[in-house]
Amino acid sequence: MTEDQAAADDGRAAGVPPAAPPADQAPVRVRMPIKLPETAALLGVLVVLIAFFSLTSPFFLRFDNIVNILQNVAVIGIIACPATLLLISGQFDLSVGSAAGFVGMLMAVAAADPETTRVPFALGLPIWGAVIVALLGAAFVGLINAFAVTVVGINALITTLGTLAIFRGLTKVLGDGQTIRIQGFGELGVVRPLLDIPLPVYLFALVVILFWFIQRYTIYGRSMYAIGASPVAARLAGIRTKRAIFIGFMLSAGLVALAGLIRLSQVGGASVNTGIGFELAVVTAVVLGGASLAGGRGTILGTIIAVFIVGVLGNGLIQLRVPSFWIEVAGGLLLLGAVAFDQLRIRLAPAN
Amino acid sequence: MAAVEAGTAFALQARGIRKSFGGVEVLHGVDLDADGGSVVALLGENGAGKSTLVKIIAGDYTADSGTVVVDGVEHHALDPRLARDLGVAIIMQEFQDAPTLTVAENISLGRLPGRVGLVDWAAVRQRARHILGQLEVDINPDVRVASLRVGERQIVEIARALSGEARLLILDEPTAALSHHEAEILFHFIRRLRRQGVAIVYITHRLDEVSEIADRVQVLRDGSTALLAKVTEVTRRDMIQAMIGRRMAEVARPPAPEHDIGAQPALRWIDASLTRVFESVSLDVKPGEVVALYGKLGSGAVEVAETAYGLRRLTAGRLEMDSEVVAIGSPVSAIARGVGFLPADRKAGGAFMVRSVGENVAVASWPVLARMGMIRDEVEATAYRRWRDRLSIRARNSSKQLMATLSGGNQQKVLLARWLERQSRALVLIEPTRGVDVGARGDIYAALRRLAATGMAMLVVTSDYEEAVQIADRAYVMAKGQIVAELRGDAITTTQLLEAAGG
C-alpha cells in the first residue's frame, strides 16, 4: 500500500504497478503503408502489359496508336483525379460518364444554329457563349450531386446512380436522340501544341499536378483523407466534413465538364452515347490505383498508373482484334479484381 | 405461460465453475444456486466475472471445469441449445433483437411457426398476443421494434425469452439503459415471474435495486464469491465492501494541487437542461483543475459534457466559457473557443487509424499550422515530436507510422497531444481510460494532472468511480439526469461516489 501511495505522490495513479512496462507496441499485425511496393507493382503490371501488346501486335507501339491511347487516358484520367479525392473521403461519383455526355451535348446544342438544325433547344450561340452554357451545366451537375449527398444525406452511390440516369436522359432530351455536330471547336481536343502530342494530354498533366498538390499539401486534401479514415473523428477534430464533400462533388463536376468538352472537341460532335462506361473505367482505375473503398487511403500517382493500365489494356485488346463484347467483359473483370484486391488489403490492414 | 406449466420447482446448482481466457483465470471455482420462485442478485464490479458466469450457465461459454446441475441432472458442458431446452433464458446487456422486424416476429425470432416453409402469421401474432397478455403489457405486436422505447424493447426481449420454456431467467444489467419508470415496470414483471415459479438471476451494480427485487445477494469479486447472503441480512455498506474489497483503500488520491486554481471558471453550466436527458445541471471547471463528472450509463453525464463541444444543444439554462455566455453549435466553434474533446469511442470518434500519428496530432491544428493553406510533412512531424516525449508516447520516432500500430493507451496520448498542439484551454474527456491497459492508464492520469498544473481546465466524464477517485480535485455525481452530489478533495472516495450515485 505504501508503495502505491508513493506512486501516487509522484503524480501517478495508484493501483498501478510503479514500473509497469506493458508491451506497449500493440501486437497487431503491423503493416506499414504498402504505398511504395504497391505503386511499383502497378508500374510492373503496366510494363508487362505494354511489353505483351508490343510483342503481339505490330501496331501497338506505332506513334498514332500511342497518341490514341494518350487521348483516351487523358479524358478518363482528368475525371479520375477528383474521383480519387472523393473515394479517399469515402464517396463515389458514378454520374461522371453521363455528366460528361450531358455537358458536351449542352455545349453542342447551345452552339447549334436553330435555322439550319432541327434540334429543339438550339441557341446558335458563339463558341464562347456555348462554353459558358456548358460550364453552367457543370455547376448544375455538381450542385445536384453535392446537395443530395451532403444536405439531403443520400448515400453517394445511390445519388449518383440516380443522377447518372437523369443526366443521360437529359442528354437525349437536349439532342433529341441525335448526334449534334459542332463547328470551330477543334482547339481543345485536337490541337497539338508541342511534340505532336494533343493538348488534352498536357491538360491531363496539369490536372494531375494540381490534384497531387491538393492532396499532398492542402488542408482541404488532408481533410478528405481524415474524413475517409473516420467521418465522426473528422467532425470531432473540427473538420467541416459536409463542406469538404460538397466541394469534392463540385470539383468532380468541374473536371467532368473539362473531359466532356475535350471529348466533344475530339469527336467534333456530341452523341447521346458519349461518356457511356466512363464511370466503370474511372472507378476501376481509382480502386486499382490503391484508393480504398473503406476510405482514408489512395494516391494520385497510383490512380494515374492505373488509368494507363486500363487504357493500355483496352487499346491492346482492340489491337489484338478481341471482339468488343469481350473487351467489355474484361473491363468488368478488371474492376472486380481491383475491388477484391482492396478487400484483401482491408482485411490484412491493422485491426481497428 | 410456459413457465407456469412447467410445474415442478426449478433448481439449478452451478458448482466449482472455473474459466480462463487467454491464460488468465477469471472464475476461480464459483458456485451459484438458482431456485424457482426466488431472485438472486448477482453483484460485482466490471470484470468480476458476473457475465462470464451466467454465460456459462446459458451455454454461451464452456467452463474449464465444474458442473451445472439442473433438476438433479449433472451437466459438464452446456451449449446454447441444451441450455434452452433445460429452460434457461438469458437477456444480455445489449439488445439481441432485430429492430427492423415487428414485435411479433421478434418474439418468434428463430422459431417462426410455419407449414411447408411458409410462415403461419396468425400463429406468430397469436403467440405474441398471448405472451404479452401474460406479461400484462400493452405493446402492439405489429409495430416495428425500432419504434419502441428502450424499456419496451427490453420487455419484448423478456417476452421472447419467456415464450420458450423459460424456467430460469437471467437478466444481465437490464436497467442500465432504462428510465426509473421503466425500471419499475420491469421490477413488477420480475415479481410476477417469481410468483409464477420462475427462477431469476439478476445482474446489476445498482445496490438500491437489490433490496427492492432480490431474495438473495451474491457478490463476485475478481472471480470468486465475496459475499453470499439473504438480502434482509446485509447492509448496503456490506455489499460495497464486498464488491471493492481491499481495493477500497488501495485507490489512492492524487496529491492536492500546488499550483493556483483559477478563480473564473473556464467552463460553467448554469441550470442547464436538455429535455428528457438532464435537468437543472450546474457545474463548473476552473483553469488548473481536474473535475470528474461521475455517472453511470444513462445518468446524463456524457450528454452534459457533449453540450460543451457543440454535439448537443441545451434546451434551457446556459453555458458559459470564461464567464461569457456562449452558444456552441458545432465542434468547429468549440475548438475556436479553446475547447478540446476526447470521445469515449476512441476508434470511431477520435483516432484516424489508417493515417499517420503525425496527422493525428496535427489535424485539429491544420488551420494554424498551414502556411498559405499548405501543410508540410515536416510541420506535422515537429508537432508530433513536440508531444511524444512530454506525454511519453511509446512509439517510434517517425511521425509517419500508422495510428493503428499503437496500443490503446498510446493512441489516447496522441489524441491528447492533438489538443495540446491546438493549445486548447479546456479539455473534455469522456471515459479517457476505457480499454487502456493499466500502465498507460497511470501515464494518462499523470499527464492530465501535469496539464492541469499548466492551467488547463479538465472535465473528465467517467462511469468508473476509481478513475474519479484517482484523478479529480473535485467530483460531481450525476444520477437520473441530475447532479446529486459534489465532492471535494479527499472526500472523493469510492464509497462516497457509490452511495451518492445510488449504488
Side-chain angles (χ1 to χ4, degrees), chain A residues 1 4-5 8-17 20-26 28 30-33 35 213 216-220 222-223 225-227 229-230 232-240 295-298 350-352, chain B residues 249-250 252-253 255 309 311 331-332 335 341 343 347-355 359 363-364 366-367 370 373-377 380 394-396 400-402 404-407 410 418-419 437-439 442-443 445-446 449 470:
Chain A
M1 203 69 52
D4 278 335
Q5 269 148 10
D9 283 339
D10 64 58
R12 278 182 152 249
V16 175
D24 230 290
Q25 201 72 25
V28 288
V30 175
R31 288 181 350 134
M32 283 315 285
K35 263 186 225 151
F213 182 79
R216 189 81 182 73
Y217 290 107
T218 66
I219 295 182
Y220 175 69
R222 294 301 189 89
S223 301
Y225 279 103
I227 293 167
S230 171
V232 178
R235 194 170 95 83
L236 292 182
I239 292 171
R240 296 178 202 268
R297 292 191 198 210
N352 60 337
Chain B
E250 274 178 40
R253 292 276 312 144
Y309 202 62
L311 301 176
V332 177
I335 292 167
F341 184 80
K347 283 168 186 162
F352 301 103
M353 290 294 182
V354 297
R355 305 306 303 168
E359 273 181 85
V363 57
W366 279 339
M374 286 189 295
I375 301 288
R376 288 178 309 129
D377 287 351
E380 290 187 339
R394 281 176 213 128
R396 279 181 293 107
K400 296 273 191 190
Q401 66 181 311
L402 291 191
T405 63
L406 270 61
S407 68
N410 285 304
R418 178 184 295 173
W419 298 115
D437 64 49
V438 177
D443 283 350
Y445 291 159
R449 303 281 322 165
Q470 288 177 65

Side-chain angles (χ1 to χ4, degrees), chain B residues 342-387:
Chain B
L342 271 76
D345 188 347
R346 183 174 59 246
K347 283 168 186 162
F352 301 103
M353 290 294 182
V354 297
R355 305 306 303 168
S356 71
V357 288
E359 273 181 85
N360 270 281
V361 169
V363 57
S365 309
W366 279 339
V368 184
L369 294 173
R371 292 273 173 280
M372 296 187 303
M374 286 189 295
I375 301 288
R376 288 178 309 129
D377 287 351
E378 297 87 81
V379 178
E380 290 187 339
T382 314
Y384 168 63
R385 282 194 213 98
R386 194 160 27 237
W387 303 107

Side-chain angles (χ1 to χ4, degrees), chain B residues 257-305:
Chain B
E258 287 165 12
H259 57 277
D260 291 334
I261 303 285
Q264 296 298 330
L267 293 172
R268 186 178 186 198
W269 283 260
I270 301 160
D271 282 329
S273 301
L274 180 60
T275 312
R276 276 199 292 275
V277 181
F278 57 84
E279 219 185 305
S280 296
V281 166
S282 295
L283 72 92
D284 62 77
V285 189
K286 299 185 182 78
E289 199 181 26
V290 180
V291 172
L293 180 56
Y294 166 71
K296 297 193 177 112
L297 186 71
S299 65
V302 172
E303 290 83 356
V304 168

Side-chain angles (χ1 to χ4, degrees), chain B residues 224-275:
Chain B
S224 301
T225 300
L227 175 73
L228 180 59
K230 283 187 177 162
V231 166
T232 48
E233 292 168 356
V234 287
T235 64
R236 205 184 170 79
R237 194 160 268 267
D238 294 337
M239 291 189 274
I240 292 178
Q241 183 69 53
M243 276 168 71
I244 57 189
R246 289 180 298 104
R247 296 198 293 125
M248 195 167 198
E250 274 178 40
V251 183
R253 292 276 312 144
E258 287 165 12
H259 57 277
D260 291 334
I261 303 285
Q264 296 298 330
L267 293 172
R268 186 178 186 198
W269 283 260
I270 301 160
D271 282 329
S273 301
L274 180 60
T275 312

